[in-house]
Amino acid sequence: MSAEAAKIVAGQIYLKPDSVLGLATGSTPLKMYETLVAVHETIGLDFSRVTTFNLDEYIGLSADNPQSYHYFMHENFFRHINIKPENIFIPDGTAENVGAEGLKYDRLIRSKGGIDLQILGIGQNAHIGFNEPDIKFEATTHKVKLDDETIKANSRFFSNVDEVPKYAISMGIKTIMLARRVVLLANGKNKSAAVYKAICGSVTPEAPASILQLHQDVTIILDRQAAADLPKKIVDVPITEIL
Ligand code: PGA
């Protein structure tokens, strides 16, 4: 999964050196970042003209907090490659006015020409970014109250569940849907129900990833466990054909 995802990202940068990438945090893309760092170190994949926009950040955590997504991205990716600091964008979790920060973030994405390739993970509740199941889709970058399920899932990164922030700032569904290409990654049995809802369920804000069924160019890369609930006819397509 990670090797295929890294190939797509590297291909994107070779074809368009000034690509705008949308990036995700969490366990899922870690190995993809590691692979891209290796490609940078071994054959010089050049990030000097690349711009990145991350999906989300916890509200209340500053960039130097080891649990923040700023810190995660720096530690796991940015400090290992030749991206320019001024080309890295992550929503500011310490912004006083989160609404204004959201508007600014969407405007900034537009001003850079929009996202060429957006990498997504998926939550066990089928969230993308921190767009939690809801009765409506939130369009633009906005403040989110995290679901109890998300807080519990993410507590593995904190010393206890009470330390997990209750709010986040996340790209909205429209922000994500405006990306020219989307690559969603999922691995592990605990993602299989969400993956099923995303691919085979109704398009509904109660399973936010299902909106991707309406996107013009989505690639979904799964391991066998995350694909376990999908109909056999989808899973048995040879990988070369899917890609
Ligand atoms: P994970 O998170 O990669 O840590 O499982 C994915 C997500 O919540 O979107």
Side-chain angles (χ1 to χ4, degrees), residues 25-29 121-124 127-130 150 154 156-157 191:
T25 50
S27 309
T28 310
I122 185 170
Q124 290 174 50
H127 72 203
I128 45 176
F130 269 140
T150 301
N154 290 6
R156 69 189 194 279
F157 299 112
K191 298 293 174 69

Side-chain angles (χ1 to χ4, degrees), residues 14 19 24 65 67 82 87 91-92 95-96 98 101-102 120 135 140 143 157 166 172 187 243:
Y14 278 119
S19 285
N65 185 313
Q67 258 86 36
N82 66 332
N87 290 343
D92 181 0
E96 267 183 29
V98 181
E101 169 67 13
L120 294 177
I135 51 166
T140 53
K143 181 175 177 175
F157 299 112
K166 308 287 179 285
N187 61 320
L243 291 173

Side-chain angles (χ1 to χ4, degrees), residues 198-223:
I199 298 176
C200 303
S202 314
V203 175
T204 165
E206 283 164 16
S210 64
I211 193 74
L212 296 174
Q213 292 173 34
L214 306 183
H215 193 277
Q216 57 172 356
D217 187 352
V218 184
T219 304
I220 297 180
I221 309 176
L222 309 168
D223 73 351

Side-chain angles (χ1 to χ4, degrees), residues 100-152:
E101 169 67 13
L103 285 175
K104 195 173 94 187
Y105 201 66
D106 284 331
R107 224 177 286 130
L108 206 52
I109 294 173
R110 274 198 302 277
S111 77
K112 301 287 179 188
I115 293 170
D116 293 303
L117 172 61
Q118 174 69 54
I119 302 295
L120 294 177
I122 185 170
Q124 290 174 50
N125 62 4
H127 72 203
I128 45 176
F130 269 140
N131 291 277
E132 302 285 37
D134 203 343
I135 51 166
K136 66 179 176 66
F137 291 114
E138 285 281 351
T140 53
T141 302
H142 62 290
K143 181 175 177 175
V144 183
K145 182 171 184 343
L146 298 176
D147 271 11
D148 289 345
E149 196 180 344
T150 301
I151 290 173
K152 200 167 136 231

Side-chain angles (χ1 to χ4, degrees), residues 44 49 52 61 71 133 136 146-147 151 161 188-189 204-205 224:
R49 293 170 61 201
T52 62
L61 299 194
Y71 196 93
K136 66 179 176 66
L146 298 176
D147 271 11
I151 290 173
V161 71
K189 181 72 192 108
T204 165
R224 289 274 159 195

